[in-house]
Amino acid sequence: MVAFTGTALSQDPTLAATPPMGWNSWNHFAGRVDDADIRAAADAMVSSGMRDAGYLYVNIDDTWEGQRDANGVIHANEKFPDMKALADYVHSKGLKLGIYSGPGPKTCAGYPASYGHETQDAQTYAAWGIDYLKYDLCSFRQIMRTQAPHDPQKQFEMEKAAYEKMHQALLATGRPIVFSLCQYGLNDVWKWGTSVGGNLWRTTDDINDTWERMSDIGFGQLGLAQYAGPGHWNDPDMLEIGNGGMTEDEYRTHMSLWAILAAPLLAGNDLSKMSPETLALLTNKEVIAVDQDPLGKQGDRASALGMTEIWTRPLRNGALAAGLFNRDDTEQAITLNLHDIGFTDHAKLRDLWKHQDVSATHGSFTVTVPPHGVVMLKISR
Ligand code: GLA
């Protein structure tokens, strides 16, 4: 018999070593998602080449939950007849399966969540073969308000304890499960998300498929870079690329900005009905390489002039990614001065969307950027 040594369980260091990549059902399917949609997403992830471009997790969001049985064990509802078989199917494609719950009694869409059943639910997920859990605060906020009225500090402690409880329950399963905190960036979650086992945490309220919302969120991520790193990432929410509400330039800005932010890349469109333009935006290998850079340093804004902004991200081998963003409704010329970002006139420049080397003149690179568009560069020594 092996004696219990009391050693604290700790997280698998290879989990989310780079920002998680995959797909999530919510942005397109919302409450309609079912088993067939998840299988179709997994199929499309492989046939489209997205898996080979690095997309790995197929994540079921809210509305899969059914009832608890007499022993308290959660079952999926009729839309998901056999969760274990679904996980086996997704795994057979070389992909991983994610699921959704929360610390409250109900999810945001009003389905049963994990309150009082955390250990049991973690065991159930592990038995099904789940690899990723998005844990959404939702109705736990009512519990906080009821149990600690007018005491924000106590409420905050309750919230952290609720996340830590599920963290421990996941660790106790022995299965590596990515833990995604979803509490909309409350209480500066980036400062404590790691301490409750978060591999990623939402930094904002929900995204939607509009330029206004996407750009507000993306360009609003100023100052958060110091909190991200291998195993723990800021999450400005899932991608809307391909959902139809933005122009191709706007979606290119979305992808470029998320890559510079070292954000999780969770596609949110219908993968089985994807245009070639959408696929090209999602699978640009040079842009994905920025997102997945092994140094794991998140980028930040380097400068702003009028409605234009330059964001940069340090990459391995002393290279740098730079996004020259135009938030204006008319085209704008944007100039990048290599000296301003720590490079000499001899730096090498590459346009990551054109897949072409470009050159600076006397250390300065000027380019016309379309409205709501971007030119994304990699600068090497
Ligand atoms: C919240 C989350 C969303 C989604 C929905 C599901 O709004 O922030 O990402 O998971 O709940 O109900």
Side-chain angles (χ1 to χ4, degrees):
M1 209 173 95
V2 181
F4 178 63
T5 58
T7 312
L9 295 164
S10 63
Q11 195 113 351
D12 177 345
T14 62
L15 212 54
T18 59
M21 289 178 67
W23 174 86
N24 172 293
S25 60
W26 188 253
N27 285 354
H28 179 81
F29 291 96
R32 301 180 307 277
V33 66
D34 65 13
D35 177 281
D37 295 326
I38 298 299
R39 285 173 193 254
D43 292 347
M45 203 114 111
V46 177
S47 62
S48 66
M50 281 180 69
R51 181 191 62 187
D52 294 341
Y55 292 84
L56 182 63
Y57 292 95
V58 178
N59 292 348
I60 309 168
D61 207 277
D62 204 350
T63 79
W64 64 267
E65 309 86 345
Q67 296 308 315
R68 294 188 184 278
D69 63 22
N71 297 319
V73 175
I74 187 83
H75 293 271
N77 59 40
E78 61 291 344
K79 296 191 296 165
F80 291 89
D82 187 340
M83 213 45 113
K84 170 91 175 65
L86 179 57
D88 289 346
Y89 183 79
V90 169
H91 292 153
S92 77
K93 303 253 153 187
L95 298 167
K96 293 183 181 290
L97 187 65
I99 211 162
Y100 169 99
S101 189
K106 297 257 184 249
T107 67
C108 288
Y111 288 71
S114 296
Y115 186 63
H117 295 275
E118 295 82 359
T119 305
Q120 211 170 17
D121 285 359
Q123 297 290 340
T124 301
Y125 305 152
W128 285 340
I130 296 294
D131 308 293
Y132 185 117
L133 174 66
K134 173 174 168 183
Y135 208 50
D136 196 340
L137 193 62
C138 289
S139 66
F140 193 75
R141 279 192 288 187
Q142 269 106 280
I143 307 246
M144 287 154 53
R145 287 189 203 115
T146 310
Q147 292 187 9
H150 317 299
D151 190 344
Q153 188 55 36
K154 177 79 195 307
Q155 293 179 12
F156 179 31
E157 296 305 325
M158 286 178 71
E159 182 190 341
K160 285 193 287 191
Y163 277 102
E164 178 60 11
K165 191 171 207 174
M166 181 51 92
H167 173 221
Q168 290 304 326
L170 293 174
L171 289 176
T173 68
R175 184 176 176 86
I177 298 176
V178 171
F179 192 31
S180 157
L181 314 188
C182 179
Q183 47 80 281
Y184 340 109
L186 301 171
N187 294 311
D188 293 351
V189 62
W190 39 88
K191 294 183 181 162
W192 53 270
T194 308
S195 73
V196 297
N199 295 115
L200 60 157
W201 44 79
R202 281 270 298 278
T203 57
T204 72
D205 216 327
D206 293 11
I207 196 168
N208 63 43
D209 189 17
T210 62
W211 164 253
E212 287 68 29
R213 185 70 188 137
M214 182 281 289
S215 60
D216 256 18
I217 290 180
F219 293 110
Q221 301 297 298
L222 284 173
L224 298 186
Q226 62 181 298
Y227 302 106
H232 53 101
W233 308 100
N234 290 307
D235 174 10
D237 209 355
M238 305 167 295
L239 300 173
E240 291 283 7
I241 295 168
N243 280 334
M246 290 183 245
T247 66
E248 197 175 337
D249 277 320
E250 291 168 344
Y251 284 141
R252 190 173 294 109
T253 291
H254 191 4
M255 185 74 185
S256 305
L257 191 47
W258 263 235
I260 287 173
L261 293 171
L265 297 178
L266 296 170
N269 58 315
D270 183 353
L271 300 182
S272 57
K273 297 191 188 74
M274 206 171 5
S275 70
E277 291 75 23
T278 295
L279 181 62
L281 287 168
L282 288 171
T283 56
N284 180 327
K285 293 203 169 137
E286 296 188 75
V287 172
I288 289 175
V290 171
D291 184 74
Q292 297 289 301
D293 186 83
L295 266 188
K297 284 195 184 294
Q298 179 176 333
D300 210 333
R301 193 169 73 185
S303 62
L305 186 62
M307 294 286 282
T308 68
E309 300 189 13
I310 297 179
W311 286 64
T312 57
R313 172 175 177 183
L315 304 173
R316 70 169 154 183
N317 297 330
L320 196 79
L324 282 50
F325 294 99
N326 176 14
R327 299 181 66 175
D328 213 338
D329 299 335
T330 54
E331 64 175 35
Q332 298 292 333
I334 304 182
T335 297
L336 177 73
N337 288 307
L338 293 174
H339 296 260
D340 293 350
I341 53 166
F343 285 80
T344 68
D345 293 6
H346 305 294
K348 282 179 37 190
L349 274 61
R350 185 165 172 82
D351 183 323
L352 302 186
W353 285 107
K354 285 194 173 150
H355 303 294
Q356 271 170 15
D357 292 341
V358 291
S359 48
T361 314
H362 305 303
S364 160
F365 177 78
T366 299
V367 66
T368 301
V369 183
H372 300 181
V374 62
V375 168
M376 189 164 169
L377 302 173
K378 180 177 174 186
I379 302 135
S380 324
R381 302 200 184 265

